[in-house]
Amino acid sequence: MGFKYQPLDAHQIRLLRPVSGPSHPLSFEIVHISLLSKPSYAALSYTWGPAGDTHGILLNGHDFAIRRNLHDALQQIHCSKRVAQLLWVDAICINQGGTGDALNELSVQITLMKQIYEQATKIFVWLGNPENEANNRLAVQMMNTISNRLRKVVEKGRPYRPWWWQHKFRTAGEDVADFVLTISPTKDKEVFDVPGSRTYQAWLGVISLWKSPWWTRTWIFQESTIPESYTTIYIEGVTAMPSSSKVRFLSGDQDTSWPEINATSIVASTITTTPGIDAQFLVGALKSVDKLRGFRGQRLQHVHWSFLDILQMFRHTECLDPRDKVYAPLCLAPDDVLHYIRPNYASKTIFDVYADVVGYCLTQPGHELDFLGHTIYQEGAQAVVTPQGVKSVLPSWVPNFSASLNIFAIPKNLYVPENVGRKGLTFYDKRGITSNKEAPIAAYNPLGNAPSRSFIMDSKLCVSGVYLDVLQDIIKNTGPDLEAIRAAAREQGFKWATASKHKYFTGESYVDAMNRTAVLDLVYDEKGRPSERGNKVDYAFLRKPRDELSLAEYRYQMNMKTAQVTAAALRDLGSSQKLYLLMIPNTAMVGDLIWALAGGQALYILRSMNQETNQYRFIGECYAHGLMDGEIVRQLTLGEVRMEDISLV
């Protein structure tokens, strides 16, 4: 007879207690424990794997089927004796049935996930059994070596100083830049070598680790990026590092941790950008790791995210149920989000869940329409289905969070560091990171303080706004032939400049206006966030090789690249009938309309669907150089434009 779940009380979870005995089959006792009692346990993070291949274990003496990948993980943990007491595994400890009771339990347990992983004493990440055990061992050895090299660079840059010595505070970005300058992939055979060498085989092992399906899972962002829990007080300038890492990555009988992965990914990124080295085999595997690594780094630095920022980070991940793209990030969301969005797998459709996100955003003063920056119209891409077969067709204004779009919303805030004097003796919080306060201020303000009148009615979003202009010409930003695109851009750009007599209406030269438009007029900081206005892209400077740059120039080049890449993601350069320079969604068409909407901190591209009823299809956000700082308010005051009520469908 198979195992049957018993109901859980409030705040309770199930934990597995290994039963001593033979490893075939694995046997566990399942116990109910309240999280309020602060139990000591380890948690497992893994991928479920294919549904067909199952193995049996015993729960309380009863048969229970689990998938092969989980069985491999439990087998390795058992053999290595990593867990002697209690273990939490979602596929076993949460009732995964399809009944109403099981779905209701799942909805409640989802809200406890953050607490479950934060209270765990250890988190084991199972990356699977290695493709090649020898390469796997070489990979872990090399990662340890690279991590030690980074640690020595950091220690050299942060030597001991008495508290009364005046010294400059160093950022993590400066540490990384110093480390990169010590790496020479073309000369150092411990960093990179020819195929068949020990170093090359080690990189093949690293790639195998980084290509694990685990890196693409939706739930890993909360599971594996828990900041290390330790308390320390020390003289500023002295390196402080945790004695051990809470998160351990397991691959077969080898294990590693975040410090090793972080250092190795920095080296891999340096190798792939070094001229004369064929290391493209590293690129694909590096992308998934870098996204999670970057997220963890920001989490360690107390970076504040809006709920939309968090949802965007999850878009490239994979999950069976599209509703998880909203429910999984709830554990990282601001507290007020749970007042509007509660997990409900039993009765809510995908449209209901995604519209709940919109409903929450409409309650945020000054940022009511920020969610529009997370959607871009794509023909036929708005239909989504739950695992139970319930289909939702999303209106153009509802972000499809299940779609893996490389989209960056036009930034709504500038993050400006507060001018707080630093002292020699600095107190650090439980994660060992200084609390660098940053005051977010509005990046743009097209309609001033015009109040938002936006609301949802059935499947329409009712808004008020100002029609500004019509899209007249487009310079495409993407395509298979990059040189052809650049040539066409130069030709079209010259025509636009000639039509404007090489002067933009703001008084600056047309070239400067175009270069500022190409980066949305934003300067980015070392955390990858906009910190001030007034930037313009310098293509000649961006093409300079790293070995020709000083440390300060290299950091400035990296920040400029961030500004350019972020602005260009799924966007083209556009020109309107009134000769405004624009950054527009790459699905926009000549004839589309440029609008400012009350409650929005950007401009928007709309497509007329029914002029009599004022219905429009939402295409995407838009930046118009010279119209982002209240200039439209002046036009309203002079009667040159007027506010209208319209609906998005």
Side-chain angles (χ1 to χ4, degrees):
M1 186 175 178
F3 173 79
K4 289 187 178 180
Y5 285 96
Q6 298 301 314
L8 291 166
D9 294 333
H11 303 291
Q12 275 193 334
I13 61 173
R14 298 183 184 94
L15 291 172
L16 303 178
R17 179 180 286 124
V19 176
S20 60
S23 59
H24 298 287
L26 293 168
S27 182
F28 300 91
E29 178 189 356
I30 198 160
V31 296
H32 294 197
I33 295 181
S34 172
L35 282 171
L36 299 179
S37 67
K38 302 287 176 79
S40 177
Y41 61 92
L44 179 65
S45 178
Y46 64 103
T47 56
W48 281 29
D53 191 0
T54 61
H55 291 254
I57 63 171
L58 294 178
L59 288 183
N60 293 352
H62 298 283
D63 292 333
F64 190 87
I66 60 175
R67 298 184 187 183
R68 178 178 179 179
N69 191 53
L70 174 54
H71 188 270
D72 290 346
L74 293 176
Q75 191 76 50
Q76 180 59 45
I77 289 172
H78 174 84
C79 293
S80 61
K81 296 181 170 39
R82 293 180 183 274
V83 177
Q85 296 300 320
L86 298 172
L87 178 67
W88 186 86
V89 182
D90 63 348
I92 303 175
C93 297
I94 300 176
N95 188 346
Q96 302 293 334
T99 65
D101 287 343
L103 291 173
N104 287 332
E105 178 185 303
L106 176 62
S107 299
V108 172
Q109 291 286 293
I110 290 298
T111 64
L112 299 177
M113 296 285 270
K114 178 181 180 181
Q115 192 176 355
I116 289 171
Y117 279 96
E118 285 188 347
Q119 286 190 201
T121 54
K122 282 285 185 183
I123 297 172
F124 296 114
V125 172
W126 176 248
L127 299 178
N129 285 317
E131 298 174 356
N132 184 303
E133 291 186 4
N135 288 351
N136 194 46
R137 287 192 293 272
L138 289 173
V140 172
Q141 292 170 12
M142 183 177 72
M143 292 168 75
N144 289 334
T145 300
I146 291 173
S147 178
N148 288 333
R149 289 178 64 168
L150 172 58
R151 179 176 53 81
K152 290 177 181 178
V153 169
V154 173
E155 289 176 348
K156 183 178 179 181
R158 299 169 182 258
Y160 172 78
R161 293 289 186 271
W163 67 268
W164 41 267
W165 277 29
Q166 189 172 7
H167 59 273
K168 181 183 177 183
F169 181 80
R170 284 179 62 85
T171 66
E174 289 174 305
D175 290 334
V176 171
D178 280 353
F179 179 51
V180 168
L181 291 176
T182 68
I183 299 168
S184 180
T186 58
K187 299 176 182 178
D188 189 345
K189 294 188 182 298
E190 289 188 357
V191 171
F192 195 76
D193 204 353
V194 297
S197 65
R198 183 183 176 89
T199 301
Y200 194 88
Q201 295 304 118
W203 279 116
L204 293 180
V206 170
I207 290 173
S208 181
L209 291 173
W210 290 353
K211 282 188 174 180
S212 166
W214 179 85
W215 297 98
T216 65
R217 281 188 61 235
T218 295
W219 292 95
I220 64 173
F221 274 74
Q222 64 165 340
E223 297 172 357
S224 63
T225 62
I226 300 295
E228 309 299 349
S229 180
Y230 65 99
T231 304
T232 181
I233 301 175
Y234 64 95
I235 305 298
E236 186 175 336
V238 177
T239 303
M241 304 189 74
S243 56
S244 62
S245 180
K246 177 176 179 175
V247 180
R248 302 299 301 180
F249 294 82
L250 312 180
S251 176
D253 60 356
Q254 300 294 303
D255 69 280
T256 187
S257 64
W258 271 119
E260 288 78 22
I261 291 173
N262 179 60
T264 305
S265 62
I266 293 171
V267 172
S269 180
T270 304
I271 292 171
T272 59
T273 56
T274 299
I277 288 185
D278 182 12
Q280 286 304 302
F281 69 99
L282 287 170
V283 175
L286 181 61
K287 285 183 179 179
S288 294
V289 176
D290 268 352
K291 287 178 180 177
L292 190 61
R293 183 177 72 88
F295 174 79
R296 177 179 179 270
Q298 291 183 334
R299 198 174 178 189
L300 285 172
Q301 295 178 58
H302 301 254
V303 172
H304 170 77
W305 304 290
S306 70
F307 187 45
L308 288 171
D309 292 333
I310 298 170
L311 291 174
Q312 183 61 34
M313 296 176 197
F314 280 70
R315 289 188 81 149
H316 73 281
T317 63
E318 297 176 3
C319 57
L320 181 63
D321 193 326
R323 292 171 292 188
D324 285 346
K325 290 296 186 77
V326 172
Y327 289 158
L330 286 177
C331 64
L332 302 168
D335 293 338
D336 65 331
V337 174
L338 285 175
H339 295 309
Y340 296 89
I341 304 172
R342 299 290 294 183
N344 183 346
Y345 289 94
S347 62
K348 289 214 168 188
T349 67
I350 299 169
F351 170 75
D352 294 334
V353 175
Y354 291 3
D356 282 347
V357 176
V358 174
Y360 164 74
C361 293
L362 293 178
T363 67
Q364 305 302 299
H367 295 277
E368 294 91 341
L369 300 185
D370 284 4
F371 66 91
L372 290 175
H374 297 266
T375 185
I376 181 172
Y377 180 74
Q378 293 182 313
E379 195 72 38
Q382 297 296 97
V384 283
V385 185
T386 67
Q388 293 77 28
V390 180
K391 182 178 180 180
S392 294
V393 178
L394 305 179
S396 64
W397 51 272
V398 175
N400 183 2
F401 295 110
S402 68
S404 181
L405 291 178
N406 184 31
I407 184 174
F408 293 93
I410 290 178
K412 308 304 183 295
N413 291 318
L414 301 177
Y415 294 88
V416 182
E418 293 181 359
N419 187 20
V420 179
R422 300 187 179 277
K423 297 180 180 180
L425 186 62
T426 303
F427 289 84
Y428 282 62
D429 73 5
K430 291 183 178 180
R431 288 174 283 190
I433 305 295
T434 51
S435 298
N436 298 322
K437 294 183 178 181
E438 291 166 326
I441 61 174
Y444 311 107
N445 193 17
L447 270 180
N449 297 319
S452 171
R453 299 197 294 266
S454 304
F455 60 93
I456 300 172
M457 185 173 66
D458 298 325
S459 62
K460 296 185 294 186
L461 179 68
C462 300
V463 296
S464 57
V466 175
Y467 163 71
L468 297 172
D469 204 357
V470 61
L471 184 59
Q472 179 174 260
D473 201 4
I474 300 172
I475 294 178
K476 286 294 181 182
N477 192 42
T478 57
D481 189 342
L482 188 59
E483 286 305 317
I485 290 172
R486 288 173 176 168
R490 285 191 292 269
E491 182 179 348
Q492 282 179 275
F494 183 77
K495 289 179 180 178
W496 295 359
T498 302
S500 297
K501 298 180 181 178
H502 299 279
K503 275 284 186 182
Y504 198 60
F505 80 94
T506 57
E508 62 196 309
S509 73
Y510 198 85
V511 171
D512 279 351
M514 184 173 285
N515 288 339
R516 289 176 68 182
T517 302
V519 289
L520 308 180
D521 196 36
L522 293 174
V523 177
Y524 278 70
D525 62 17
E526 291 180 357
K527 295 179 182 177
R529 300 189 302 176
S531 58
E532 59 182 295
R533 295 277 299 276
N535 192 19
K536 59 183 178 181
V537 67
D538 183 341
Y539 294 103
F541 178 68
L542 287 178
R543 287 192 292 268
K544 281 190 174 184
R546 190 178 71 248
D547 55 7
E548 294 182 10
L549 302 174
S550 66
L551 176 58
E553 288 173 331
Y554 176 66
R555 289 166 53 201
Y556 182 66
Q557 186 189 65
M558 291 298 98
N559 293 341
M560 184 179 290
K561 283 182 179 178
T562 299
Q564 183 198 21
V565 169
T566 302
L570 296 183
R571 293 192 185 96
D572 295 328
L573 199 61
S575 178
S576 72
Q577 285 186 353
K578 296 179 182 178
L579 303 181
Y580 295 135
L581 278 171
L582 316 165
M583 284 298 283
I584 57 175
N586 64 2
T587 54
M589 300 166 55
V590 170
D592 284 343
L593 309 176
I594 305 159
W595 280 75
L597 301 178
Q601 303 303 310
L603 301 181
Y604 305 94
I605 299 292
L606 308 182
R607 189 170 296 161
S608 179
M609 302 301 292
N610 189 323
Q611 290 186 347
E612 293 182 0
T613 58
N614 270 351
Q615 291 186 349
Y616 296 84
R617 174 175 290 157
F618 180 79
I619 306 301
E621 281 188 321
C622 166
Y623 169 91
H625 192 61
L627 291 182
M628 304 300 291
D629 299 301
E631 294 85 354
I632 302 167
V633 177
R634 176 180 174 277
Q635 296 180 23
L636 275 169
T637 304
L638 296 176
E640 297 173 357
V641 294
R642 62 187 178 89
M643 194 77 76
E644 303 177 52
D645 293 327
I646 62 174
S647 60
L648 306 182
V649 296

